[in-house]
Amino acid sequence: MKILFIYSLEFTLSVEKPLYGYEFLQFGISHLSSYLKKHNHDTRLQILSRSFSRKNYNIISKKIEDFKPDILGFYSVSTEYKFISDISNFIKIKYPNIFLIIGGPHATLRPEEVIEDNFDAICIGEGERPMLKLANMLEKGESPSKIKNLWIKNNNVIEKNHLASFYQEIDLLPFPDREMWEEFVDYRPNFKEQNITILLGLGCPYNCTYCINHVLRKIADGNYVRYRSPQKIIEEIKLLHEKYPLEKRMFFEIESFNINSKWAAEVCQEIEKYNRSIDTPLSFRINMRIMQNSNLDSLFKTFKRANITSLNIGIESGSERV
């Protein structure tokens, strides 16, 4: 099956190269694509933006007519949903035979609202296994049904399926599909504002009211906070270093690198060993939460040995005024 993913940006200066670097790729779409490709389906990507105005309709029409997708998958946060909904309405009218499905935070948290729009299905929560089952059923000419995590329309009847538990074996997932983003990236080797990004894990155990994690954690059973093994992380670092040899900095994407101190130390040890094996050591940037009674001296010594040189730290306060 041919699956086209739509990703939208609020604003970008370039229609042809809307992304300033590989740091800006979206991991949810990237993992869906690599998972589907692993099972012999064909995927493509199209980036749209409100800043393109009416050009969006010509862009998406050309992509559809060139690629001829069977399924079109949308990802949306709440601030992009009105724009995505308008695009889906245009596609449904012009190309009614394409199966339209939407996932992402907005569809997960507002399914009753989203299912009323022109989508044939919505995905609530994690999408790799549901998307594969959907593609397989459509490929066989079957009417999709009984797929966990999906709400599916069938003759104006909405089938609301149960949610699967959070997937625990994340090391078994293929590495994200970065190639699908390449045509959209204004790539400048070793540009100081650009890092290659690696996803280290999923979920967060904290309950910050401004964040979505405390809500997402409740939608399914099983452990929400999951970590990739240090060995799998190093395997991806090696592959990326071979693919982008001019890049000397990488960003570790995880809610807070130091929540699980034992795991973080093991990752640092593996990085330290890898850096000793190459001529020019790689440097790394991380997200970090400052917690009460943290042994920062010991932690920073570990970071230094791993050549972690930059930290993103959220400044928090119990005061609503602050």
Side-chain angles (χ1 to χ4, degrees):
M1 296 291 278
K2 293 183 175 182
I3 301 101
L4 175 62
F5 291 101
I6 301 295
Y7 182 58
S8 65
L9 298 169
E10 180 179 358
F11 179 79
T12 181
L13 293 173
S14 170
V15 174
E16 292 77 21
K17 299 287 184 180
L19 299 181
Y20 301 125
Y22 287 99
E23 185 171 345
F24 300 98
L25 66 81
Q26 207 282 327
F27 277 110
I29 291 173
S30 304
H31 279 107
L32 284 172
S33 178
S34 61
Y35 193 74
L36 289 164
K37 283 182 175 179
K38 180 182 177 181
H39 293 88
N40 302 315
H41 295 290
D42 192 6
T43 67
R44 294 288 190 281
L45 173 70
Q46 182 59 58
I47 295 179
L48 303 176
S49 172
R50 279 176 277 167
S51 61
F52 300 163
S53 189
R54 296 200 61 80
K55 291 180 183 176
N56 286 294
Y57 300 110
N58 292 332
I59 292 169
I60 193 61
S61 294
K62 185 177 187 309
K63 193 77 167 198
I64 288 173
E65 286 159 18
D66 288 347
F67 182 49
K68 298 179 173 53
D70 305 292
I71 302 171
L72 210 153
F74 297 88
Y75 169 92
S76 182
V77 294
S78 293
T79 52
E80 290 294 295
Y81 181 70
K82 175 62 169 63
F83 170 70
I84 285 294
S85 177
D86 290 344
I87 294 294
S88 71
N89 290 340
F90 166 78
I91 294 170
K92 180 56 74 175
I93 293 168
K94 190 171 182 180
Y95 307 99
N97 294 327
I98 300 177
F99 191 96
L100 305 186
I101 181 169
I102 184 170
H106 190 75
T108 294
L109 298 185
R110 303 294 295 273
E112 298 284 358
E113 169 194 321
V114 174
I115 200 65
E116 294 298 321
D117 284 335
N118 264 327
F119 301 103
D120 299 297
I122 63 173
C123 181
I124 301 173
E126 297 173 341
E128 286 85 0
R129 292 173 293 171
M131 278 294 289
L132 178 60
K133 290 179 181 178
L134 174 68
N136 289 344
M137 292 187 79
L138 289 174
E139 186 176 32
K140 295 174 184 175
E142 300 175 0
S143 179
S145 180
K146 298 179 181 177
I147 303 174
K148 288 185 178 181
N149 291 28
L150 296 193
W151 286 14
I152 305 167
K153 284 181 185 170
N154 190 354
N155 296 324
N156 295 320
V157 176
I158 301 170
E159 178 185 292
K160 300 179 180 180
N161 292 293
H162 295 297
L163 268 66
S165 299
F166 291 119
Y167 186 62
Q168 301 301 308
E169 303 297 330
I170 61 173
D171 269 358
L172 299 181
L173 295 174
F175 295 149
D177 182 358
R178 299 172 191 271
E179 286 71 25
M180 69 188 307
W181 300 85
E182 288 182 348
E183 65 178 290
F184 303 103
V185 175
D186 182 13
Y187 178 63
R188 287 169 281 175
N190 219 24
F191 179 53
K192 68 177 181 178
E193 300 299 330
Q194 173 180 281
N195 299 156
I196 300 295
T197 303
I198 299 176
L199 187 68
L200 301 194
L202 300 170
C204 179
Y206 292 104
N207 296 309
C208 303
T209 54
Y210 55 79
C211 181
I212 197 173
N213 274 297
H214 69 286
V215 182
L216 293 180
R217 189 189 313 129
K218 299 173 184 176
I219 68 170
D221 297 328
N223 292 327
Y224 177 59
V225 182
R226 291 147 288 167
Y227 301 97
R228 297 174 65 197
S229 69
Q231 294 74 26
K232 205 69 178 176
I233 292 166
I234 291 297
E235 184 183 335
E236 187 172 4
I237 289 173
K238 290 178 180 178
L239 287 174
L240 291 173
H241 189 210
E242 291 171 3
K243 183 174 179 61
Y244 306 104
L246 297 178
E247 295 298 329
K248 304 305 178 186
R249 290 185 306 272
M250 295 187 181
F251 174 52
F252 285 158
E253 179 58 62
I254 191 168
E255 299 288 359
S256 185
F257 183 72
N258 60 313
I259 290 175
N260 185 328
S261 56
K262 182 176 182 293
W263 169 83
E266 291 173 356
V267 172
C268 287
Q269 289 169 9
E270 292 297 323
I271 294 169
E272 184 182 355
K273 284 194 292 186
Y274 179 66
N275 268 340
R276 287 200 300 263
S277 73
I278 57 180
D279 294 334
T280 304
L282 302 175
S283 64
F284 301 89
R285 178 163 60 95
I286 60 170
N287 295 324
M288 178 178 169
R289 181 185 175 99
I290 301 299
M291 298 176 288
Q292 192 173 14
N293 301 320
S294 296
N295 186 349
L296 295 181
D297 286 341
S298 174
L299 190 64
F300 287 164
K301 287 176 182 176
T302 303
F303 287 173
K304 184 175 182 180
R305 289 194 298 270
N307 211 29
I308 292 174
T309 58
S310 301
L311 312 174
N312 295 341
I313 300 174
I315 306 301
E316 302 178 46
S317 170
S319 164
E320 289 199 9
R321 178 184 61 82
V322 172

